Amino acid sequence: MTGSDEWRRLHPLTPIVRGGRATIGLAVILLPSALAGRHGRGSLIEIGVVAVLLVLGFVRWLVTRWKVDGDDLRIESGLIRRRSVRFPLSQVQAVDVVRPGLARLFRVAELRLRLGGSTGGSARLAYLAEREVEPLRARFLELAAGTGPAPAAVGEERVLSVVPTGRLIGSILISDVGVAAETVVLALVVVAVVSPAAAVGAISGGAFAIVSALTLVWRRFNQEYRLTVVDHSDGLILRGGLIALTSETIRPGRVQAVRMVEPVLWRRLGWCRLEVDVAGRQRSEGEGSAQRKPLRAVLPVGSHAVAEELLDHLVPDRPRQQSKPPGRARWKSPLRYRMLAWGRTDTCVGTTSGRLRRVTSFVPLEKAQSVRRVQGPVQRRLGLASVYVDTVGRRVHAAIRDREADEAEGALEDLAVLARAARRAA
């Protein structure tokens, strides 16, 4: 058990950075008035609003403190109602460093800990001085691993993949998000050519859809720009971002599931996307809200050769061969029958499914929370059944769809036994 630190506060500029877009918006509102030299009643109201927000932000900063207490991170906050939370560092799933645009301007960063559980996203130290973040991240990882202080030398890093900007742009344009945005823009162009007056009404009426589509495209590009995957002694480190920089660490043994996604247009180019599910809900606030995502893309777009190399790090004992379902499964799943398959090893199960896009999921059996057999009315008539292997993340599961009923029953029993053995070994 390590000793307890003294209570510490966040960086003094935290109220400004935490305000994020509100801070920038207020600056845009007040700057013209200041340059024009106007000092009317409207200006006094604006200044009063800014003063109130600054005072509230300062009070929030003043009543928030944190420290490392043994093997726990303690965070206390609240003025009238005090809130004290302990986060056991032994349960850390990942430690992320997030630098939103405004934080980069003031040379501060957020340290975000994801733990197994619904409150994992609340373990946030936003914001700290940049020089403090990396040493503190290393210390949290040491405590999470149950080891002593690390040597002074920095561990070697090996770059596994870097996403080229041109390929990223091309993949977004032919992805579901990109096609949706292009459809909206094309529709507006056609309406403008046919009837300019109607185009004004279409733009005003569909403003929400337009902004939503463009925001999704921008968010994906901003998050996945120059994403670099590095093999480090701490685990896989993901660095990337255009405006908001992120540095995320995926520790060994913390991956709940991995899935490889191959949209129909990507398959002709030999591209695929690799995503991981790590236990712990990541809740974001303030300027870093764009960082909230159900799954983390380890490879936003890349070749199968690069994906296989990353899979060797994430799920090395994955099944290399998968078996197809019986022919009568065509009557139950005519659109995705050609993609249905599954396989297993003693420690991992893999399944493939999809209609327009092929999705291959890998679940380490030590992470399995439940194994269940499902048989719907159509499956009963055809003598078929499905088996599902669920994980704590609940975002990715292995679905063994439309197998012979006897095969499904055997798979259910085998996977339950193998999952128990894998958990004991882990």
Side-chain angles (χ1 to χ4, degrees), residues 409-420:
E409 190 65 32
L412 178 70
E413 296 176 0
D414 291 345
L415 292 174
V417 172
L418 292 173
R420 286 195 292 267

Side-chain angles (χ1 to χ4, degrees), residues 74-94:
R74 291 185 60 186
I75 301 178
E76 291 189 354
S77 60
L79 177 62
I80 299 175
R81 181 182 179 183
R82 295 292 292 174
R83 181 171 179 263
S84 180
V85 186
R86 282 180 177 267
F87 299 96
L89 296 175
S90 60
Q91 300 300 317
V92 168
Q93 304 293 311

Side-chain angles (χ1 to χ4, degrees), residues 184 188 201-216:
V184 171
L188 290 176
I203 293 175
S204 60
F208 178 77
I210 298 171
V211 173
S212 298
L214 296 179
T215 299
L216 290 174

